[in-house]
Amino acid sequence: MSIVQPGILYIVATPIGNLDDITLRAKAILSEVDAIAAEDTRHSRPLLNHLGINTPLFALHEHNEEQKSAYVVERLQAGESIALISDAGTPLISDPGYRLVKAAHRAGLVVCPIPGASALVTALSVCGLATDRFSFEGFLSAKSGARKEQLHQLIDEPRTLIFYESSHRIVASLTDMAEIFGAEREATLARELTKRFETIKQATLLELQEFVEGDANQQKVEFVILISGKTVEQTDSLDGETRRIIELLGDELPVKQASKLAAEITGFKKRELYQYLLERKRE
Ligand code: SAM
């Protein structure tokens, strides 16, 4: 019996490097659907050949997604089943598919996830930084000024930060990160995950920047950069007396009220005190 149902859009994760990282369910779905929408059909054909799958393919990428979404919805409404794949990993994660999934929901169709690899979760699982809370930031801007501005906005973020980066900008991005978050901030570089030259290195941002800049091989291909969120110790602008006050108030009052009162007493910004208390409660 077929595991594919008529009229369903399947969002199927494919490997991020090692071709064996495909699930049995993904293989079955890709074999049985009526058609596969692929980000780049030339890129996906070798994977499908490797899996012995010859389901018809058509292209759905960022430049034709609007128009192709309407086409896919029509086919689904006519009772066909269609799978969406991207070049690597999970579709929609820094990849096309958002407009299609939205259109399918709007049309009242069923959208079914077929989970598998994604570089961000793969990197997170081995990064050695806090994983209880994280913020996926995707790709930073290619323009230096805009990139620095994006990083500045994340300076006080307490969650682990995750970025995607390509070979063109890896040195520039690490340099900006070390400058803005501080040379000593802990980070992990995950390069070529699941592939032959996989590199996973935890160090300070400055050490990572020097490591990549000093080795041309390390500047090649695909990266995930993970950066420790700002910790309580890094909130060094709060002096001892201010910490004593906010901690005393924080032990007696809700965080919001304690930071408001402490801000009035000490003159420090409420937001900074609030952040300090939140961090302290988490530890
Ligand atoms: N949809 C994919 C996913 O689920 O991870 C991401 C697609 S995005 C266009 C491509 C970026 O993902 C690369 O530039 C890199 O930052 C990251 N990436 C993908 N595969 C990777 C790998 N094997 N090792 C490290 N980073 C990878």
Side-chain angles (χ1 to χ4, degrees):
M1 201 185 89
S2 171
I3 68 161
V4 159
Q5 301 288 316
I8 294 189
L9 173 64
Y10 295 92
I11 306 300
V12 182
T14 57
I16 55 168
N18 188 320
L19 293 188
D20 289 341
D21 290 337
I22 182 109
T23 68
L24 295 174
R25 196 158 161 244
K27 255 169 99 169
I29 297 283
L30 292 175
S31 305
E32 291 181 24
V33 285
D34 294 301
I36 300 172
E39 184 182 4
D40 181 343
T41 55
R42 287 163 307 173
H43 183 99
S44 294
R45 186 77 63 193
L47 170 71
L48 297 173
N49 287 344
H50 171 81
L51 298 172
I53 293 170
N54 43 36
T55 305
L57 281 178
F58 65 90
L60 184 145
H61 43 71
E62 61 173 310
H63 304 295
N64 73 357
E65 189 175 344
E66 198 76 58
Q67 163 226 335
K68 278 288 174 194
S69 295
Y71 165 75
V72 172
V73 166
E74 264 175 40
R75 286 185 68 167
L76 292 165
Q77 283 170 330
E80 290 194 87
S81 53
I82 294 185
L84 173 73
I85 59 174
S86 62
D87 284 355
T90 302
L92 281 83
I93 306 301
S94 293
D95 268 340
Y98 164 70
R99 281 175 255 175
L100 171 60
V101 169
K102 195 168 177 183
H105 281 296
R106 286 222 170 124
L109 294 159
V110 175
V111 183
C112 176
I114 309 295
S118 186
L120 89 97
V121 175
T122 306
L124 192 64
S125 70
V126 291
C127 71
L129 305 171
T131 53
D132 54 340
R133 294 162 76 221
F134 56 89
S135 174
F136 175 56
E137 299 294 323
F139 287 98
L140 287 163
S141 171
K143 294 188 184 130
S144 169
R147 183 169 61 238
K148 285 186 177 171
E149 180 51 36
Q150 286 172 311
L151 293 173
H152 269 293
Q153 288 181 10
L154 294 167
I155 272 188
D156 292 329
E157 175 57 61
R159 294 172 293 178
T160 297
L161 295 164
I162 308 177
F163 301 92
Y164 278 171
E165 196 48 278
S166 68
S167 49
H168 315 294
R169 282 181 290 278
I170 185 68
V171 174
S173 284
L174 284 170
T175 306
D176 289 347
M177 288 166 175
E179 182 190 313
I180 291 162
F181 294 125
E184 295 303 313
R185 182 87 72 107
E186 287 258 286
T188 302
L189 186 73
R191 172 181 167 268
E192 288 285 82
L193 288 163
T194 76
K195 300 189 203 176
R196 187 159 164 226
F197 296 110
E198 179 177 85
T199 311
I200 297 158
K201 188 173 170 65
Q202 193 187 50
T204 67
L205 274 172
L206 182 63
E207 285 165 343
L208 285 181
Q209 186 258 322
E210 288 173 348
F211 169 71
V212 173
E213 198 166 32
D215 182 348
N217 283 326
Q218 291 298 335
Q219 295 170 26
K220 290 182 191 150
V221 244
E222 302 191 296
F223 308 83
V224 183
I225 306 168
L226 307 99
I227 302 181
S228 166
K230 187 169 179 177
T231 57
V232 170
E233 298 83 68
Q234 286 158 347
T235 315
D236 51 14
S237 55
L238 298 188
D239 57 67
E241 180 59 8
T242 305
R243 284 180 196 222
R244 197 179 69 82
I245 293 170
I246 183 73
E247 284 171 18
L248 274 175
L249 291 170
D251 288 343
E252 301 297 326
L253 298 167
V255 177
K256 210 169 163 187
Q257 210 180 338
S259 31
K260 184 168 179 275
L261 264 180
E264 279 169 23
I265 298 167
T266 63
F268 272 90
K269 283 199 183 110
K270 196 172 88 192
R271 188 166 163 265
E272 198 171 347
L273 297 161
Y274 183 85
Q275 198 66 48
Y276 177 80
L277 265 191
L278 275 190
E279 280 296 298
R280 186 166 175 267
K281 283 189 190 282
R282 273 181 64 206
E283 286 181 349

